[in-house]
């Protein structure tokens, strides 16, 4: 395999993925290199289903082996929500800060701060040939949002073994341990070992 399409136009993710594959003899393309397309409806009921919807669409549309990821935050106090609806959940609030306050309120009420981030990556090599790689990082919801780095829920997530949120870490530090990195490492060893 000489090239792979990463089905994403999120520059932060693209940067992370390209960095990981930098030393490999494989060219990683991304959606920004192509004319804008109407993206498929992510109506799966799991991270892996949504990842597969995107990677199989990419393979069919561009005729290149394609991979896509789907991730989110699962909070025990919210019955493991927002989960696959993490992106939409943030949009329901006027600001990310009010979404964080809502989550922290639920955590305080239930006295349970456990949470995890999960990523599923689907690699679609050819029609009917799809492989899923998963990554998960467990931790807890912080008492207040802290930190300016990263994106999404980073300011309220403290991974196990750390005393700071993802948003207090620089990208190098976060990308060493993140859910996405764990899943990408699995895909990398599948492709190159
Ligand atoms: P996606 O499927 O990877 O685009 O993730 C969906 C949503 O989950 C994002 O819009 C974020 O709100 C949240 N999310 C996923 N990964 C992370 C992360 O590493 N940090 C913070 N939020 C994340």
């Amino acid at each position: 395999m000489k090239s792979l399409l990463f089905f994403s136009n999120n520059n932060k993710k693209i940067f992370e993925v390209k960095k990981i594959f930098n030393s490999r003899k494989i060219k990683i393309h991304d959606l920004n290199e192509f004319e804008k397309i109407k993206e498929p409806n992510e109506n799966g009921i799991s991270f892996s289903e949504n990842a597969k919807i995107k990677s199989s669409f990419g393979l069919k549309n561009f005729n290149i082996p394609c991979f896509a990821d789907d991730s989110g935050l699962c909070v025990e106090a919210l019955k493991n929500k927002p989960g696959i609806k993490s992106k939409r959940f943030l949009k329901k609030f006027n600001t990310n800060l009010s979404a964080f306050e809502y989550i922290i309120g639920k955590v305080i009420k239930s006295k349970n701060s456990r949470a995890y981030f999960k990523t599923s990556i689907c690699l679609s090599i050819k029609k009917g040939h799809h492989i899923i790689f998963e990554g998960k990082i467990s931790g807890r919801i912080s008492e207040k949002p802290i930190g300016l780095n990263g994106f999404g829920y980073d300011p309220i997530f403290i991974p196990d073994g750390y005393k700071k949120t993802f948003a207090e870490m620089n990208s190098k530090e976060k990308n060493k341990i993140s859910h996405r990195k764990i899943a990408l490492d699995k895909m990398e060893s599948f492709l190159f070992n």
Side-chain angles (χ1 to χ4, degrees):
M1 218 179 298
K2 287 201 179 105
S3 60
L4 270 180
L5 170 65
F6 179 35
F7 194 85
S8 175
N9 42 33
N10 176 330
N11 284 326
K12 284 195 174 166
K13 281 195 204 170
I14 294 167
F15 178 76
E16 188 180 321
V17 166
K18 289 196 172 170
K19 223 167 166 195
I20 290 170
F21 286 96
N22 216 359
S23 60
R24 303 293 191 177
K25 285 196 178 89
I26 194 160
K27 171 97 183 111
I28 305 290
H29 298 281
D30 64 76
L31 288 185
N32 294 332
E33 296 168 38
F34 299 91
E35 218 168 278
K36 208 166 165 40
I37 49 157
K38 192 175 178 310
E39 292 187 22
N41 211 353
E42 291 175 39
N43 54 7
I45 55 157
S46 62
F47 292 112
S48 53
E49 265 188 41
N50 280 339
K52 188 175 164 202
I53 288 171
K54 290 183 268 189
S55 62
S56 27
F57 182 89
L59 169 70
K60 196 168 162 209
N61 209 68
F62 299 102
N63 212 16
I64 317 175
C66 176
F67 67 101
D69 75 331
D70 199 60
S71 356
L73 177 70
C74 304
V75 181
E76 281 190 12
L78 295 172
K79 299 193 181 112
N80 283 341
K81 287 186 177 132
I84 58 167
K85 295 193 173 142
S86 291
K87 200 171 175 175
R88 282 164 273 176
F89 182 82
L90 281 185
K91 285 190 182 147
K92 286 205 289 195
F93 295 83
N94 288 334
T95 60
N96 281 7
L97 191 62
S98 35
F100 298 159
E101 279 166 358
Y102 174 86
I103 294 172
I104 291 167
K106 291 281 183 195
V107 161
I108 291 170
K109 209 170 157 196
S110 70
K111 298 193 178 90
N112 178 0
S113 63
R114 299 299 301 159
Y116 62 89
F117 271 117
K118 187 170 172 192
T119 290
S120 292
I121 293 178
C122 183
L123 172 64
S124 296
I125 295 177
K126 57 186 178 187
K127 198 176 169 205
H129 191 150
H130 312 278
I131 305 133
I132 299 284
F133 306 92
E134 304 213 304
K136 179 179 170 182
I137 179 160
S138 297
R140 63 185 171 86
I141 300 298
S142 58
E143 280 145 30
K144 56 179 189 210
I146 318 175
L148 299 171
N149 300 328
F151 67 102
Y153 299 86
D154 281 344
I156 57 164
F157 182 77
I158 302 177
D160 284 344
Y162 290 80
K163 287 198 167 95
K164 56 185 177 181
T165 66
F166 263 172
E168 290 179 280
M169 298 181 183
N170 60 38
S171 64
K172 207 170 164 192
E173 214 177 342
K174 177 187 167 189
N175 293 340
K176 251 190 227 162
I177 57 168
S178 79
H179 45 309
R180 202 167 294 106
K181 170 77 163 104
I182 295 166
L184 278 169
D185 279 351
K186 290 180 185 169
M187 186 174 88
E188 200 193 9
S189 36
F190 170 81
L191 285 168
F192 301 107
N193 290 336

